[in-house]
Amino acid sequence: MSQRSTQKSSPVPALMFAVSVVGSNGLALSPILADVAGSFSTSALTISTAISAYGAATAASAFFLAARIDRNGIRRSLLGAMIALIAALVLSASAPHWIVLTLAQALAGAAAGVILPAAYGSASLIAPAGQEARTLGRVIAGWSVSLVAGVPLSALISDWVGWRATYGVLALCAAIALLGLRKLPERRAANPAPLRLSRLLAPLSYRDVPALLLGCLAFSSAFYGVYAFLADHVRTLLALSAGQVGFIAFAYGAGFLLAGFAGAPLVDRLGPRRALPLALGVIALVYVGLLPAAHSLAAVLAIATLWGAASQLSLNLLVLLLSRARPEERGAVLGLNTCTTYLGASVGTAVAGTLYTHAGFETLGLCAAAALAAAALGLHWRLNGRRAAAARATA
């Protein structure tokens, strides 16, 4: 097959679309939390259980199931997980009770824990020689699409038709992505190593990995906790619709995209070890700034743009430093990173829901800021302070 015909039938757009559907589903519930709660005659805290279930299922899936992708075949695993995601989205759209919605989102999380690493692995598999990084970057850009377009459109659909239509549209989008993913080549490990718990946990003994994973846990817990209830808080204060607060995700995504293009010179100038604590410190300031800004949608949108930019830098730097920790076992290390990220999503949302309900958004924001500040200081000491001390000792 010629290179030209291969490019014409490239499944990269389908991979990117699949990632954007996963991202949109994972973030869509926050702007419509009040609408869903009202339809089930319950509270926002109760409905946020579905967000926690999604995060916990994604973390468990990434830890236990993603390691089997190479054994089962990367195409087979991705297609099977996409079918499970479609079923979960259809069940979410038709859920007769909030418990069914929670179970449906848990199924969606289990699918996401396979889809994301399989999509990234497929990108590397189909990329032309020398263009692996560029192809992977296009697939990862699906997250930006979900932030800039998927979540705001989902909120607007909820306003126009109802929140159930949001999940119906996402199910349709997932089905379209599935059709494109059928073109993927298959890859299966010839002699896969046996899967043991000790091997899955081995990266915890590598230098800097535990500290970076703790930083990841603080980052994801604070993000998902604040994100889950920020829209509900702003809607309560300003009497806004789901579509209007959906633009918070748009502003966040715009900042995310901007940092993706303009952040490299800053990282190159400072170095990743210095830039990561700085980016986390900026996010801590964002959480403090959101407290007074919540009384004005324009102010929230401005701060959300900065939030997205700092988050993009933090995510990229965490992945970069983790991938460098043990290059020959990058997959195992990054698998733990995915698991930690969604564990934070589950725990962060659950803790944030209790804080938001019983102490208010102000307490939630301050706790999130404190967690990020502690992570920034700890990582600065671990990544820079100890190295400087060692250098002085050997001088």
Side-chain angles (χ1 to χ4, degrees):
M1 182 180 291
S2 69
Q3 183 178 1
R4 185 174 182 180
S5 64
T6 301
Q7 289 178 343
K8 283 184 178 180
S9 60
S10 172
V12 169
L15 287 169
M16 180 180 175
F17 195 35
V19 171
S20 70
V21 172
V22 171
S24 297
N25 174 69
L27 299 172
L29 190 52
S30 176
I32 62 176
L33 205 59
D35 299 332
V36 179
S39 70
F40 289 127
S41 301
T42 188
S43 66
L45 175 61
T46 299
I47 300 302
S48 71
T49 305
I51 303 176
S52 295
Y54 176 86
T58 307
S61 176
F63 186 75
F64 292 107
L65 298 182
R68 300 180 179 274
I69 290 175
D70 287 331
R71 299 170 64 92
N72 298 333
I74 194 167
R75 176 179 177 273
R76 180 182 178 186
S77 298
L78 183 54
L79 294 179
M82 285 299 299
I83 292 172
L85 178 63
I86 294 169
L89 291 170
V90 171
L91 184 59
S92 295
S94 58
H97 194 277
W98 68 265
I99 293 179
V100 178
L101 176 64
T102 299
L103 294 174
Q105 284 300 299
L107 176 59
V114 174
I115 291 170
L116 294 176
Y120 301 156
S122 295
S124 301
L125 177 63
I126 65 176
Q131 297 186 32
E132 291 83 359
R134 179 179 298 181
T135 303
L136 180 59
R138 289 176 60 192
V139 174
I140 292 177
W143 284 103
S144 299
V145 174
S146 69
L147 289 163
V148 173
V151 177
L153 286 175
S154 296
L156 288 173
I157 291 171
S158 178
D159 272 352
W160 295 335
V161 188
W163 68 265
R164 295 181 184 277
T166 295
Y167 289 107
V169 171
L170 287 174
L172 177 61
C173 290
I176 294 172
L178 177 65
L179 294 177
L181 294 174
R182 294 181 304 167
K183 303 175 184 178
L184 284 171
E186 183 61 284
R187 183 185 65 182
R188 183 180 290 107
N191 297 297
L195 296 176
R196 296 189 178 94
L197 183 61
S198 59
R199 180 166 180 79
L200 295 175
L201 296 176
L204 294 178
S205 64
Y206 303 159
R207 179 181 175 84
D208 293 337
V209 168
L212 289 167
L213 290 178
L214 284 174
C216 176
L217 182 64
F219 169 81
S220 59
S221 297
F223 168 76
Y224 281 99
V226 172
Y227 178 84
F229 297 99
L230 174 61
D232 188 68
H233 177 60
V234 173
R235 289 185 71 176
T236 301
L237 288 177
L238 303 178
L240 301 176
S241 67
Q244 288 172 309
V245 296
F247 282 103
I248 296 175
F250 177 87
Y252 180 94
F256 200 95
L257 278 174
L258 180 63
F261 290 109
L266 175 63
V267 173
D268 291 340
R269 188 178 304 115
L270 295 175
R273 288 177 171 268
R274 294 183 182 274
L276 176 57
L278 180 60
L280 293 176
V282 170
I283 299 176
L285 294 177
V286 163
Y287 292 146
V288 174
L290 281 174
L291 304 184
H295 295 273
S296 166
L297 181 59
V300 171
L301 295 178
I303 292 182
T305 304
L306 176 62
W307 186 15
S311 295
Q312 199 275 352
L313 291 175
S314 298
L315 282 171
N316 280 4
L317 290 167
L318 280 167
V319 171
L320 176 63
L321 290 171
L322 282 167
S323 65
R324 289 179 176 178
R326 188 66 70 93
E328 65 274 16
E329 296 186 39
R330 183 178 289 117
V333 173
L334 294 180
L336 274 183
N337 175 65
T338 300
C339 177
T340 302
T341 297
Y342 284 96
L343 178 64
S346 178
V347 173
T349 304
V351 173
T354 301
L355 289 173
Y356 180 62
T357 301
H358 299 290
F361 188 81
E362 290 75 13
T363 301
L364 168 57
L366 291 174
C367 288
L372 264 294
L377 291 173
L379 282 172
H380 177 71
W381 175 80
R382 174 70 192 185
L383 300 177
N384 303 298
R386 292 185 61 179
R387 284 165 59 100
R392 287 194 299 267
T394 57

